Amino acid sequence: MEAPTGDPARTDAVAADVIADDAEALAVAAALADGFRAGASRRDSERALPYAELDRLSASGLLAVTVPGEYGGADVRQETLAEIFRLLASADAGLAQIPQSHFVYVNVLRRQGTPQQRAFFFGEVLAGRRFGNAQSEAGTKHVQDIRTRLERLPDGSYVLTGVKHYATGALFADWIPVLARAADDRLHVAFVPRGAAGVTVVDDWDGMGQRTTASGTVRLDAVSVPADRVVPHHLTFEGPQLHGAVAQLLHAAIDAGIAAGALSEAVEFVRTKSRPWFESGFETAAEDPLLIQRFGELAVQVRATEALLGVAARAVDTARADLTDATAAEASVAVAAAKAHAAATAVEVSSALFEVSGTRSALNSLNLHRHWRDARTHTLHDPARWKIQHIGRYVLNGTPPPRHGLL
């Protein structure tokens, strides 16, 4: 079998560095986060889509850090990847959300791609190309009711037809992985160039938060797909799997980053702008013992979330090294715990920002509410109440979590 034919959507892709190891990946992420932080509020308030920032992300080599070593990548630990996302989200949660699906589909290729597909697509990733996503659909019975169809033709190629929504990253992508069902109703992923005939990406996302993710609509009108660009995703769930744990770990890291960013912003505001309450008797708000108490409580929440994130990431790394039903279940439950805690923490801390900072912090011109809007919007991805249910069943009755890819 030949490698997939290469017609990436962007011919002007920036040259990408190649990151060598975990330490370099974390240093690059920290530097990028510092650079992204300065313009994050403006991008949100103006809904200025981060094309330039994403090109910097591609050029840094950070998007290729999970490419396996035999294909030229650093193959960093999941603990490192989670910290990368936490750092980026602490600076700009919308920007951090965009590459989440990119890493999910790198993982799909790692799990189910042929050697030829892995060689080609990992080469694309190392060259700075970006994966978007076209997974979710609106108006269906539930989130797993995928109606996009992948019809096989006599020559072995496919025709892809459907409409996707909440397609984060698709507008900025070189390749759009599309979740679709074949004639046997089994799930596949078709990798299509963003500029392919029949592909229309519509920037119609109008969420109150995550405003710059461009999580809009993708229309697929009889899109031709060569056979060597289709991956049998259904096989992922026929044995122990980490697909859901990896995806949810990154969501948890984004929530943890939102919480950290909101707490940092609150600290800076109270230190430099807040007035002390007249009854406190102190010269500055930062000396008020009641505010000190509240900041201590919020810091405990943030630290607990970060600790759970680390535990979850290490559980995923352990399972990757020895994938069994038991290790996969433990990883999924650990990630579910981290995600549930991070979601609650992100919403609480971003709301408490106003409580501790005072009336002036509510000024629309300051745009401090972007942290809460991002938290409230991002935490709607998957309901934490169902994660708690699966954790309870696992702890009380030893029931392993389901293999549906969202846990």
Side-chain angles (χ1 to χ4, degrees), residues 118-375:
R118 290 196 294 268
F120 173 74
F121 282 113
F122 290 160
E124 288 285 279
V125 172
L126 286 164
R129 309 288 185 184
R130 297 192 287 265
F131 294 157
N133 96 84
Q135 300 179 133
S136 297
E137 300 179 13
T140 57
K141 185 176 181 180
H142 50 70
V143 70
Q144 294 281 32
D145 183 15
I146 302 298
R147 300 182 184 181
T148 297
R149 306 309 296 186
L150 192 63
E151 179 185 357
R152 186 154 193 161
L153 300 179
D155 66 0
S157 67
Y158 294 87
V159 172
L160 185 62
T161 303
V163 179
K164 298 290 189 175
H165 297 82
Y166 313 115
T168 302
L171 189 67
F172 312 108
D174 300 291
W175 295 93
I176 303 177
V178 180
L179 195 61
R181 294 192 184 275
D184 59 5
D185 212 37
R186 291 180 171 180
L187 283 175
H188 293 70
V189 175
F191 287 78
V192 300
R194 188 196 61 207
V199 175
T200 304
V201 182
V202 183
D203 180 23
D204 57 359
W205 170 243
D206 66 348
M208 68 173 182
Q210 302 290 88
R211 298 184 68 226
T212 59
T213 60
S215 301
T217 300
V218 174
R219 296 193 178 97
L220 306 148
D221 184 13
V223 178
S224 296
V225 184
D228 55 10
R229 292 197 194 147
V230 175
V231 175
H233 193 40
H234 60 94
L235 295 178
T236 299
F237 308 105
E238 293 183 4
Q241 55 85 32
L242 296 172
H243 176 78
V246 169
Q248 292 296 308
L249 179 68
L250 302 186
H251 282 309
I254 292 169
D255 290 340
I258 293 172
L263 182 60
S264 178
E265 193 109 52
V267 167
E268 177 65 16
F269 196 94
V270 170
R271 284 177 176 172
T272 62
K273 296 182 178 66
S274 293
R275 297 184 297 179
W277 183 244
F278 73 95
E279 292 179 288
S280 72
F282 290 98
E283 291 296 315
T284 67
E287 297 173 281
D288 185 337
L290 299 182
L291 280 180
I292 290 171
Q293 175 72 21
R294 187 63 176 129
F295 270 100
E297 293 167 351
L298 296 174
V300 169
Q301 285 288 96
V302 171
R303 285 174 178 251
T305 281
E306 291 171 355
L308 283 170
L309 183 67
V311 169
R314 290 188 290 275
V316 175
D317 281 326
T318 296
R320 286 180 69 190
D322 180 22
L323 187 59
T324 66
D325 286 330
T327 60
E330 182 58 35
S332 289
V333 168
V335 171
K339 180 63 174 70
H341 197 278
T345 299
V347 172
E348 179 181 353
V349 175
S350 59
S351 177
L353 184 158
F354 304 99
E355 169 197 337
V356 297
S357 299
T359 306
R360 185 182 174 192
S361 64
L363 293 177
N364 194 57
S365 59
L366 296 177
N367 199 27
L368 295 178
H369 48 68
R370 71 182 174 91
H371 299 288
W372 182 86
R373 288 187 288 102
D374 284 342

Side-chain angles (χ1 to χ4, degrees), residues 62-66 81 85 99-107 250:
L62 210 59
L63 295 181
V65 294
T66 58
L81 186 62
F85 271 80
Q100 190 266 347
S101 290
H102 170 91
F103 284 97
V104 168
Y105 283 103
V106 170
N107 193 47
L250 302 186

